[in-house]
């Protein structure tokens, strides 16, 4: 296995573990994969880590399913990695179910041998 494949496998493992934490609705575990300055950009605008995790802690936002589908695209730029992949998930916001099929791009930074996400960009797929 080449160094790039090893790095890809490690980064994908982090993403998969983060998704497990999201489905477990464990705000502390979810937050451990995010850098303090993490933001998510979606059709709703910008959401900070603090706000996202507050929704999870309150129970207003839960997830019951999340998985990667298709082949990811990973590119490295020094200590940064750009990971783009398609994600399907089922979320519940204030009791209303939302099924999503999205392209996500996550920007990860490697610090002290650990990948943490700085930014998540979400784009809904066309139906």
């Amino acid at each position: 296995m080449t160094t790039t494949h090893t790095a890809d496998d490690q980064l994908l493992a982090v993403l998969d573990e983060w998704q497990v934490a999201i489905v477990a609705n464990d705000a502390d575990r979810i937050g451990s994969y995010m850098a303090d300055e993490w933001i998510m950009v979606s059709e709703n605008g910008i959401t900070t880590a603090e706000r996202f995790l507050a929704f999870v802690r309150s129970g207003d936002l839960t997830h019951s399913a999340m998985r990667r589908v298709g082949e990811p695209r990973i590119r490295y730029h020094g200590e940064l990695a750009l990971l783009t992949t398609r994600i399907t998930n089922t979320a519940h916001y204030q009791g209303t179910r939302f099924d999503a099929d999205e392209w996500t791009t996550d920007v990860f930074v490697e610090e002290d041998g650990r990948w943490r996400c700085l930014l998540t960009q979400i784009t809904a797929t066309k139906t």
Side-chain angles (χ1 to χ4, degrees), residues 5-104:
H5 287 300
T6 300
D8 288 358
D9 291 343
Q10 290 171 349
L11 190 57
L12 289 172
V14 168
L15 179 64
D16 292 344
E17 292 165 10
W18 191 16
Q19 290 176 345
V20 168
I22 291 170
V23 172
N25 301 300
D26 183 334
D28 292 335
R29 221 165 90 207
I30 294 167
S32 73
Y33 293 94
M34 301 168 158
D36 292 340
E37 64 271 23
W38 177 88
I39 61 168
M40 178 174 59
V41 180
S42 70
E43 71 276 3
N44 297 317
I46 295 174
T47 302
T48 64
E50 181 180 353
R51 186 163 188 220
F52 181 85
L53 295 172
F55 283 129
V56 174
R57 282 190 181 94
S58 72
D60 284 345
L61 176 63
T62 63
H63 286 81
S64 58
M66 181 170 283
R67 71 182 186 101
R68 264 188 308 120
V69 294
E71 289 298 314
R73 178 185 186 271
I74 302 173
R75 297 295 184 266
Y76 299 93
H77 301 275
E79 295 172 351
L80 293 179
L82 305 174
L83 191 162
T84 302
T85 193
R86 193 169 177 174
I87 303 282
T88 60
N89 73 79
T90 301
H92 307 267
Y93 181 68
Q94 296 181 334
T96 302
R97 178 181 169 147
F98 295 91
D99 292 298
D101 184 352
E102 305 164 322
W103 287 99
T104 64

Side-chain angles (χ1 to χ4, degrees), residues 102-122:
E102 305 164 322
W103 287 99
T104 64
T105 298
D106 291 301
V107 178
F108 285 88
V109 62
E110 187 177 29
E111 297 174 331
D112 301 321
R114 183 167 176 244
W115 290 106
R116 294 183 69 200
C117 191
L118 293 165
L119 175 133
T120 299
Q121 169 74 51
I122 298 173

